[in-house]
């Protein structure tokens, strides 16, 4: 069984089928892309995969440590506990907090104190906070953001904010990342830096990554396989070369006459 298996997934909103009978599989360690014209259902599919929406039909299965977990029956926070995290099209950092604090928030499950321990500042509060801060700094060093640790998130260049958002998702302990248009709004230099960043974290931190992206240069460069949606349906899948020359994909993007 594949690491991630999506079986005949459908999501309806009233009479509209935003995602229709989609089946895909992702192997552990893969980096795959999900592309399609505007309104194709890509973000809706991500929202189902990460528990924001409940599927109308179908299942989402994660093969973890030899056990099959049905993610489509879990709320988002329990999906996160299974090592799954995501980013969004619009950056959602805590912009008035430091880079370090943004990462520490993702590590709050490691806190060894409760709400009263935090209010009363018991000794365990200080030792736990020190441990989390140490781990957060070590993590930032791994993703080359340690020199910006005490900078407010809002002061970072746009490309670095995107990298921080991805790093924050990883800091939950995620091994499966869903990235929703990570290169949105970037110039070519920032996109190139992001492409290198994604390739680096995937390689060095043993991640499985699924990304939605409109920037075809990024998709074609780093994605090993690509899935193509159009009007909520899966119309093609394969390598970058196969997808690039698929008549259905060309028609979906450029129209019938082409």
């Amino acid at each position: 069984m594949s690491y991630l298996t999506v079986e005949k997934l459908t999501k309806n909103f009233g009479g509209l089928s935003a995602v229709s009978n989609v089946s895909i599989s992702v192997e552990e360690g893969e980096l795959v892309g999900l592309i399609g014209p505007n309104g194709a259902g890509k973000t809706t599919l991500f929202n189902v995969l990460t528990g924001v929406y409940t599927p109308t039909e179908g299942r989402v299965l994660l093969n973890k440590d030899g056990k099959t977990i049905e993610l489509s029956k879990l709320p988002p926070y329990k999906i996160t506990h299974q090592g799954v995290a995501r980013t969004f099209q619009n950056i959602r950092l805590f912009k008035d907090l430091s880079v370090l604090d943004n990462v520490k928030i993702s590590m709050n499950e490691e806190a060894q104190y409760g709400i009263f321990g935090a209010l009363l500042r018991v000794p365990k509060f200080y030792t736990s906070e020190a441990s989390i801060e140490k781990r957060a700094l070590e993590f930032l060093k791994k993703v080359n953001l340690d020199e910006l640790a005490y900078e407010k998130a809002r002061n970072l260049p746009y490309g670095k904010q995107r990298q921080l958002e991805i790093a924050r998702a990883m800091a939950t302990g995620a091994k499966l990342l869903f990235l929703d248009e990570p290169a949105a709004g970037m110039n070519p230099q920032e996109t190139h830096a992001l492409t290198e960043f994604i390739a680096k974290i995937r390689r060095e931190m043993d991640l499985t990554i699924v990304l939605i992206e409109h920037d075809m240069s990024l998709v074609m460069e780093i994605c090993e396989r690509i899935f193509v949606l159009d009007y909520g349906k899966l119309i093609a899948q394969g390598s970058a070369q196969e997808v690039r020359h698929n008549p259905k994909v060309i028609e979906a993007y450029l129209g019938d006459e082409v």
Side-chain angles (χ1 to χ4, degrees), residues 239-253:
S239 67
Q241 190 71 7
E242 290 168 338
V243 166
R244 190 197 307 267
H245 297 291
N246 188 302
K248 290 184 179 179
V249 177
I250 295 170
E251 181 182 321
Y253 274 97

Side-chain angles (χ1 to χ4, degrees), residues 49-235:
L49 298 179
T50 55
V52 177
Y53 297 150
T54 301
T56 305
E57 295 178 13
R59 301 190 301 170
V60 181
L61 306 174
L62 182 71
N63 184 16
K64 181 182 178 185
D65 301 326
K67 297 179 180 178
T68 301
I69 301 159
E70 188 169 349
L71 298 182
S72 41
K73 288 188 174 180
L74 301 178
Y77 76 94
K78 288 190 176 180
I79 291 175
T80 301
H81 291 167
Q82 298 303 326
V84 180
R86 71 168 293 180
T87 64
F88 295 83
Q89 289 181 26
N90 299 317
I91 293 176
R92 298 189 180 185
L93 295 172
F94 297 101
K95 294 195 173 182
D96 287 320
L97 296 182
S98 69
V99 169
L100 177 62
D101 285 338
N102 268 273
V103 171
K104 285 171 63 178
I105 285 169
S106 291
M107 297 179 169
N108 65 352
E109 288 293 321
E110 301 175 25
Q112 300 297 313
Y113 54 85
I115 186 170
F116 293 110
L119 290 171
L120 298 173
R121 293 296 196 267
V122 297
K124 188 176 284 189
F125 168 83
Y126 291 103
T127 57
S128 184
E129 282 294 296
S131 175
I132 291 172
E133 180 157 326
K134 181 181 178 183
R135 286 199 63 249
L137 285 168
E138 289 171 351
F139 176 79
L140 285 171
K141 189 170 184 178
K142 288 181 182 178
V143 296
N144 295 331
L145 291 172
D146 52 312
E147 292 184 0
L148 300 169
Y150 300 102
E151 190 73 51
K152 279 190 176 182
R154 70 166 58 255
N155 295 335
L156 267 58
Y158 185 77
K160 289 294 183 184
Q161 288 188 30
R162 281 287 186 188
Q163 290 183 22
L164 174 58
E165 187 176 43
I166 295 170
R168 187 181 62 180
M170 292 164 54
T172 63
K175 301 303 283 184
L176 172 59
L177 278 182
F178 292 101
L179 308 181
D180 193 350
E181 296 198 36
M186 289 188 176
N187 62 40
Q189 291 75 24
E190 290 170 331
T191 299
H192 177 71
L194 179 72
T195 302
E196 291 186 336
F197 178 78
I198 292 172
K200 171 186 166 65
I201 61 171
R202 179 264 188 122
R203 181 179 63 253
E204 296 182 359
M205 307 191 80
D206 195 25
L207 299 175
T208 304
I209 299 176
V210 183
L211 62 87
I212 293 172
E213 189 51 66
H214 283 292
D215 190 311
M216 290 298 103
S217 64
L218 187 155
V219 172
M220 297 297 175
E221 182 174 345
I222 64 172
C223 292
E224 294 153 341
R225 286 193 300 141
I226 299 170
F227 298 97
V228 188
L229 287 182
D230 190 31
Y231 293 107
K233 296 181 179 180
L234 186 66
I235 62 169

Side-chain angles (χ1 to χ4, degrees), residues 24-37:
I24 64 175
S25 62
V26 179
E27 301 302 325
E28 190 168 5
E30 266 196 305
L31 199 169
V32 304
L34 180 65
I35 67 172

